[in-house]
Amino acid sequence: MTNFTIVDLEQAKAKLAAWNERFDEYTGNNPDKYQADIRSARERVREIELALKDAGVIPKTEHEKLEDTLDRTFPNARSKEIVEYEGQKYRRHFMPLERSRSRKSVTVWGKSWAKVQD
């Protein structure tokens, strides 16, 4: 794993913002213009941010710490599966982080845990 710094994250966010600005200012007739670059820049920001949080450079929220613990404890949990941890129930949830340009398929999935109210 590569060691990232806060500067790397700031540069990646600036690059993403620049690609988004280019796309917003584009007046041509190609709706896919810059989309590959934007997707790559988003993935890079997510990668660096996750690495910095895992290294402890950026502090994780309490919910992120809980999700890490649940992920380690229940690594094979399926979507909508309910598990019990320390007397509380949690539901596994998957959601699309990024979709294809046509919006018909998901290209990147995210996952989270939500507390279940009894």
Side-chain angles (χ1 to χ4, degrees), residues 17-33:
W19 283 118
N20 281 324
E21 185 176 336
R22 272 185 165 172
F23 178 72
D24 291 342
E25 293 175 357
Y26 178 65
T27 59
N29 202 19
N30 181 359
D32 293 331
K33 185 79 168 177

Side-chain angles (χ1 to χ4, degrees), residues 25-93:
E25 293 175 357
Y26 178 65
T27 59
N29 202 19
N30 181 359
D32 293 331
K33 185 79 168 177
Y34 305 122
Q35 291 306 305
D37 298 309
I38 291 171
R39 277 192 302 277
S40 295
R42 276 190 201 131
E43 179 59 35
R44 184 75 173 158
V45 168
R46 280 194 296 265
E47 174 190 5
I48 293 172
E49 195 168 45
L50 180 62
L52 289 175
K53 285 185 177 190
D54 286 344
V57 176
I58 297 175
K60 290 184 179 183
T61 65
E62 289 302 315
H63 185 71
E64 288 171 330
K65 291 176 186 177
L66 175 64
E67 285 187 341
D68 286 347
T69 302
L70 290 169
D71 284 341
R72 282 192 307 274
T73 307
F74 305 101
N76 299 323
R78 295 177 173 258
S79 182
K80 299 182 183 176
E81 183 175 339
I82 297 175
V83 299
E84 189 168 336
Y85 177 74
E86 294 185 351
Q88 299 290 325
K89 292 183 180 180
Y90 299 92
R91 175 179 288 137
R92 172 53 115 190
H93 177 67

Side-chain angles (χ1 to χ4, degrees), residues 94-109:
F94 290 91
M95 68 285 198
L97 287 181
E98 196 168 299
R99 293 182 182 267
S100 66
R101 182 78 175 142
S102 67
R103 313 271 310 149
K104 291 183 180 178
S105 61
V106 176
T107 58
V108 179
W109 286 95

